[in-house]
Amino acid sequence: MYCPNCGLEISGDIKFCPDCGTPIAPISAEPQPNPFPEPEPIPEPEPRPTYQPTPPPVENGTEPDSMEKTLALEAYLGILVLAPIFGAKNSPFVRFHANQGLILCATSIGLSLLMTFNSVIMASVGASWLNIILGLFNGLYGLASCGIIVLAVIGIINAVKGRMKPLPIIGKFNILK
């Protein structure tokens, strides 16, 4: 027999544990109730609802198909803007992105012409204070070129997601009708 409190082995008819003083119950033939009942089972959690993404809002009432999205994506890839301009004249979604891409392409070409003109002037002037100023402008043109790349990526993302959202800064202009 063992003390239920400290676990000391007890022999004989002792009423209290000599180590900790806990009362020792006499051994009976009846089974004693378990002082540590089995824990209740933990209920299964309710299943969570699965995530269902909502489709993006479409401005013209219909979701563009994959061909329209592909043509709209091409509008932001430089000279490939001609494919959606001539390829999908009846789709307002493609026409919108073709207009955005055409403005972006024209801005990129204008920026390239300015950089070229600036470089020609720098080469013909020679070393002077004007070269320093023109060099600063070339740095600004480089930053603007990075901005054009960022605008193209934004346009591509909008086209792939089926949104007709104007690009920042240049999106308010319309060339195509």
Side-chain angles (χ1 to χ4, degrees):
M1 184 160 116
Y2 295 94
C3 173
N5 187 35
C6 67
L8 179 70
E9 186 175 357
I10 301 172
S11 60
D13 283 343
I14 299 176
K15 295 195 186 230
F16 295 98
C17 175
D19 194 33
C20 66
T22 303
I24 306 296
I27 300 175
S28 66
E30 295 178 14
Q32 297 293 323
N34 185 355
F36 305 106
E38 291 290 323
E40 293 182 21
I42 299 173
E44 290 288 324
E46 292 183 24
R48 287 194 230 169
T50 58
Y51 173 71
Q52 296 292 330
T54 56
V58 180
E59 286 78 7
N60 63 357
T62 60
E63 175 74 23
D65 62 5
S66 62
M67 183 62 164
E68 288 178 322
K69 287 181 180 180
T70 304
L71 282 171
L73 180 142
E74 287 178 3
Y76 298 100
L77 301 177
I79 196 68
L80 291 179
V81 70
L82 296 175
I85 289 174
F86 297 115
K89 293 183 179 181
N90 298 334
S91 171
F93 177 75
V94 176
R95 294 295 284 181
F96 173 81
H97 286 286
N99 181 64
Q100 298 284 294
L102 185 61
I103 294 168
L104 194 63
C105 184
T107 304
S108 177
I109 290 171
L111 189 63
S112 296
L113 289 174
L114 280 173
M115 284 181 69
T116 303
F117 180 71
N118 198 4
S119 297
V120 168
I121 291 175
M122 283 179 66
S124 64
V125 169
S128 70
W129 59 271
L130 186 60
N131 267 349
I132 295 172
I133 295 172
L134 294 175
L136 291 175
F137 278 118
N138 271 350
L140 291 176
Y141 295 147
L143 286 176
S145 296
C146 291
I148 286 176
I149 293 171
V150 168
L151 290 176
V153 169
I154 292 170
I156 289 170
I157 290 170
N158 287 337
V160 169
K161 289 187 175 183
R163 294 186 284 197
M164 293 174 60
K165 187 175 179 184
L167 293 175
I169 302 168
I170 64 170
K172 58 187 170 195
F173 302 107
N174 282 328
I175 296 175
L176 299 176
K177 303 229 186 236

